[in-house]
Amino acid sequence: MEKLLIVGPASQMLGIRIARELNIRAINTEFKTFPDGENYLRINLEDESTIKEKEVIIVQSTGPSSSGNQNARLIELLMMIDSIKRMRAKKLIIVIPYLAYARQDKVFRPGESTFGDLIIRIIDSMGIDELYVVDVHSPKILTDTYSKITNIDSMKILAEYIKSLGAKDIVVVSPDKGAVERSKTFAQHFGDDIPVDCFEKSRDVKTGEITMSGKLSLKDKDVVVSDDIIATGGTMATAIKLAKESGAKKIYAVATHALLLQNARFRILEAGADEIIGTDSIDNEVSKVSLAKLIANYLK
Ligand code: R5P
């Protein structure tokens, strides 16, 4: 069956890279926001029969960017799925490198919505065949679906990139206990017996304010502070400051999804990071590690 790849507005670099890896045709979209705030999107093709009976892959991250917030990105994604279904693709595969709302996975305060899993249920109900996400914040929101869902792990390629920078005598540091298991898996990609340590973090559920504490043995170590998401940079910057105070020599701030909102870049560098490293799940200047080959391998 012939395969085509639809490059969503939010994943232009990664989408085209995946299409190249798979050696298949990439089709882009035309998109805009109407004056009333509604989104418009059309798949950029002249003849709808292009889609009929084909295997179609849609790649669209749902992180905020200068040309659309995550709500717009989600609406665009739903529009793409709807158009492709209407044009009668034989098989529909969705790739959402960064899944928005995945942090809203449980009720922290009475009256809240667990919106992360609602998004998955909506997409799943649209008659898709397969869904791929990358290092999703809360894998538990991926259960109970009809379609085949895969959470791709980017830790190996992130570790390879950091090793290629010449990092030695590495300690992997997790900003909080919740991410320790992930950090332990991450550490294995740097070699045997790489130490993993963590700080104590808590976040006020009302104000969102972070407090973190801890002193680790990091003297003269190359420290990799790793998290799944960097949003405002508060978590990362606080962990880096503590790592610096604990004697770290070099500090790499690493996240699969480096959204870098507000003053995140400044906060993280000012706290003492030598480098910020992310993947192209979010298209910005720190997307140093491409997910294209990794994702393409799943789609082959
Ligand atoms: C939270 O549990 C996540 O893993 C990240 O630590 C968090 O989303 C980062 O947010 P911020 O950069 O705003 O501190």
Side-chain angles (χ1 to χ4, degrees):
M1 197 186 341
E2 193 188 332
K3 292 186 190 194
L4 298 169
L5 190 145
I6 311 297
V7 177
S11 291
Q12 297 181 34
M13 298 285 272
L14 179 56
I16 201 101
R17 285 173 182 151
I18 296 172
R20 280 191 187 151
E21 287 292 335
L22 295 171
N23 201 14
I24 60 175
R25 180 176 166 196
I27 301 174
N28 71 358
T29 64
E30 187 188 321
F31 59 97
K32 64 183 175 186
T33 308
F34 284 113
D36 61 0
E38 288 183 3
N39 289 95
Y40 170 87
L41 180 139
R42 71 172 272 275
I43 314 275
N44 208 351
L45 38 81
E46 293 311 318
D47 179 359
E48 294 202 346
S49 66
T50 309
I51 299 297
K52 198 169 172 196
E53 294 301 312
K54 306 283 169 39
E55 177 176 324
V56 178
I57 302 163
I58 296 176
V59 182
Q60 166 86 334
S61 239
T62 53
S65 71
S66 53
S67 59
N69 65 24
Q70 51 275 73
N71 298 337
R73 295 322 193 181
L74 282 166
I75 296 292
E76 287 166 353
L77 174 63
L78 300 182
M79 286 175 163
M80 285 187 275
I81 297 174
D82 184 48
S83 316
I84 297 295
K85 287 299 290 180
R86 187 183 53 70
M87 291 188 273
R88 304 232 190 121
K90 177 104 178 161
K91 185 170 182 188
L92 179 51
I93 299 173
I94 311 299
V95 180
I96 313 177
Y98 171 72
L99 180 69
Y101 288 96
R103 287 178 290 177
Q104 297 196 37
D105 59 328
K106 63 179 179 203
V107 175
F108 297 91
R109 298 175 67 201
E112 290 178 347
S113 152
T114 54
F115 202 64
D117 67 66
L118 177 61
I119 286 173
I120 292 294
R121 279 185 276 130
I122 292 170
I123 294 169
D124 182 50
S125 72
M126 293 179 82
I128 65 161
D129 295 284
E130 295 174 20
L131 171 63
Y132 294 86
V133 292
V134 181
D135 291 343
V136 72
H137 179 73
S138 179
K140 71 171 195 245
I141 66 174
L142 305 177
T143 52
D144 300 332
T145 50
Y146 298 109
S147 23
K148 181 182 156 228
I149 302 199
T150 307
N151 182 21
I152 298 175
D153 180 339
S154 76
M155 284 184 257
K156 185 165 184 277
I157 56 171
L158 280 167
E160 275 164 7
Y161 178 78
I162 296 162
K163 283 193 282 186
S164 78
L165 299 176
K168 285 187 213 76
D169 219 354
I170 294 170
V171 179
V172 175
V173 169
S174 168
D176 62 32
K177 279 193 174 149
V180 164
E181 286 312 311
R182 184 179 187 276
S183 298
K184 281 185 185 160
T185 315
F186 192 31
Q188 287 165 8
H189 295 298
F190 289 99
D192 296 332
D193 304 322
I194 296 292
V196 177
D197 229 323
C198 84
F199 294 116
E200 294 276 348
K201 169 184 149 185
S202 62
R203 192 187 282 269
D204 185 303
V205 289
K206 282 191 185 159
T207 62
E209 203 181 312
I210 296 164
T211 45
M212 203 182 286
S213 58
K215 180 137 177 80
L216 310 177
S217 304
L218 302 176
K219 190 149 173 40
D220 296 330
K221 300 283 183 187
D222 281 355
V223 174
V224 177
V225 184
S226 102
D227 211 342
D228 57 336
I229 302 168
I230 299 173
T232 63
T235 304
M236 190 52 91
T238 314
I240 286 167
K241 192 164 171 286
L242 290 176
K244 206 78 198 166
E245 286 166 10
S246 301
K249 187 170 78 182
K250 200 153 194 175
I251 303 181
Y252 302 92
V254 185
T256 311
H257 313 290
L259 308 181
L260 301 184
L261 309 174
Q262 300 164 7
N263 282 323
R265 295 161 176 82
F266 177 85
R267 292 172 91 176
I268 294 168
L269 293 177
E270 196 206 33
D274 292 276
E275 186 158 349
I276 309 174
I277 299 159
T279 73
D280 52 2
S281 81
I282 304 294
D283 196 355
N284 60 22
E285 75 278 14
V286 306
S287 335
K288 297 168 185 170
V289 176
S290 180
L291 298 167
K293 221 177 212 142
L294 181 66
I295 294 175
N297 283 340
Y298 279 88
L299 301 175
K300 269 177 189 157

